[in-house]
């Protein structure tokens, strides 16, 4: 089956739905495809989003989905597998085997968090194991916090958390600590542990602490870790979007302030191009991209009318 739209949005998280809202309210024919796996799906609460603080992430998405549908956008639960340029825009192949043709494409597919392979860590991801001091730091205030280093930037994470609790332990794991960072941790009363972690220990379903390779056990209320962020950017790569190597050593698709990629007619917003984007930041980026796409279509409509 073949369907068509003015704008196809791939990914119905905060970024995609916000872009869809702007476009549907501009009377564009909008289709949003979604694989149903928003990055924060395992978190029970979402914080730092003005007026939505403490909401369930999935409630935000279902409410946003109802909003865009109320303006006539279509949201389909399916994956986009591949994309190819055609004369009138782009043709995408969906997991169902259906094809979809669109004048413009907005990619808001988010990213995948790759956690270190410490036994038990993944089981508590989103509930006991967190990464973002702004999303989950307040809830861990004054408690016993372990920071598991995965990269030099983990020191910064520990220092941000020190603002919220004076019971922080920094597990260096295999990372190198510079003398400056070591002193910075020491003067702020952050304990440094070099012994490697064997596994996460639990009390029932609750995280209880860490067992170290020397057999000792340390109780903690929350573990913070910076996972490796892997952008879900396969569609953008298929189209040959320009990329740039970032400080994390990975290549990320380059966008301008409105989310425009180097490929004419293709925009991207949210975590797929910005690992640091929280829900409100992703929503704002999607919204900007939506308005920029509408303006681009208006320009094309004017040119066509003049011809
Ligand atoms: C544990 C955890 C807790 C967090 N807590 C907070 C918090 O409290 N506050 C906050 O602001 N932020 C929080 N975040 C960050 C938040 O998850 C992201 O900022 C946000 O999800 C990014 O939105 P997005 O729209 O870019 O991507 P996502 O929300 O990840 O949405 C992307 C969507 O695209 C879909 N998709 C991917 N590929 C395809 C494809 N090929 N075809 C169709 N669909 C596809 C996915 O299934 C997904 O539904 C948290 C993150 C984690 C991991």
């Amino acid at each position: 089956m073949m369907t068509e739209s003015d704008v196809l949005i791939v990914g119905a998280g905060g970024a995609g739905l916000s872009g869809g809202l702007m476009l549907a309210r501009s009377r564009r024919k909008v289709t949003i495809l979604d694989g149903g796996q928003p990055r924060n799906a395992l978190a029970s609460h979402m914080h730092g989003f003005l007026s939505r603080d403490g909401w369930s992430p999935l409630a935000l998405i279902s409410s946003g989905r109802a909003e865009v549908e109320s303006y006539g956008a279509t949201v389909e639960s399916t994956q986009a597998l591949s994309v190819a340029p055609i004369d009138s825009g782009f043709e995408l192949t969906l997991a169902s085997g259906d094809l979809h043709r669109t004048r413009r494409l907005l990619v808001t597919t988010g990213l995948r968090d790759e956690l270190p392979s410490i036994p038990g860590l993944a089981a508590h991801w989103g509930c006991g194991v967190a990464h973002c001091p702004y999303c989950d730091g307040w809830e861990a205030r004054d408690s016993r916090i372990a920071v598991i280093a995965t990269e030099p930037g983990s020191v910064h994470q520990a220092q941000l958390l020190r603002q919220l609790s004076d019971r922080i332990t920094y597990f260096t794991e295999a990372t190198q600590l510079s003398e400056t960072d070591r002193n910075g941790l020491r003067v702020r009363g952050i304990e440094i542990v070099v012994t490697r972690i064997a596994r996460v220990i639990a009390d029932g379903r609750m995280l209880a602490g860490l067992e170290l390779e020397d057999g000792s056990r340390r109780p903690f209320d929350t573990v913070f870790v910076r996972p490796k962020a892997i952008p879900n950017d396969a569609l953008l790569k298929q189209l040959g979007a320009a990329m740039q190597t970032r400080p994390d050593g990975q290549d990320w698709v380059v966008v301008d302030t409105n989310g425009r990629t180097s490929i004419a007619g293709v925009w991207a917003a949210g975590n797929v191009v910005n690992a640091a984007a929280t829900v409100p930041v992703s929503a704002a980026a999607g919204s900007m991209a939506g308005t920029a796409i509408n303006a681009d279509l208006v320009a094309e409509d004017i040119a066509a009318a003049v011809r």
Side-chain angles (χ1 to χ4, degrees), residues 10-16 33-40 42-43 45-49 61 78-81 108-111 113 125-126 129-131 135-136 232 235 269-272 277-280 282:
V10 187
L33 308 178
D34 192 47
Q37 291 185 313
R39 182 181 173 204
N40 53 353
L42 292 176
H45 298 96
M46 180 194 66
H47 298 283
F49 195 157
I61 285 173
T78 184
Q79 290 271 337
L81 296 185
T108 50
T109 42
L111 64 76
D113 291 292
W125 180 234
V129 177
H131 75 296
C135 303
D136 298 299
N232 298 324
L235 297 173
N271 275 169
V272 67
T278 57
V279 177
S282 302

Side-chain angles (χ1 to χ4, degrees), residues 193-208:
V193 176
V194 294
T195 311
R196 302 287 297 269
I197 296 161
R199 66 185 183 99
V200 172
I201 47 178
D203 182 3
R205 293 174 63 192
M206 298 282 288
L207 178 136

Side-chain angles (χ1 to χ4, degrees), residues 165-176:
S165 175
D166 58 8
R167 293 191 284 167
I168 312 276
T169 304
Y170 187 81
F171 289 87
T172 58
E173 287 297 284
T175 61
Q176 295 291 318

Side-chain angles (χ1 to χ4, degrees), residues 4-25:
E4 287 184 344
S5 59
D6 290 324
V7 186
L8 182 72
I9 301 174
V10 187
L17 289 170
S18 297
L21 189 60
M22 292 296 111
L23 287 155
R25 282 176 51 79

Side-chain angles (χ1 to χ4, degrees), residues 101-134:
R101 287 190 172 171
T102 183
R103 293 170 69 190
R104 299 289 183 275
L105 178 64
L106 172 56
V107 178
T108 50
T109 42
L111 64 76
R112 183 166 58 80
D113 291 292
E114 197 175 272
L115 289 163
S117 60
I118 296 171
L121 196 67
H124 294 278
W125 180 234
C127 182
V129 177
H131 75 296
C132 167
Y134 298 100

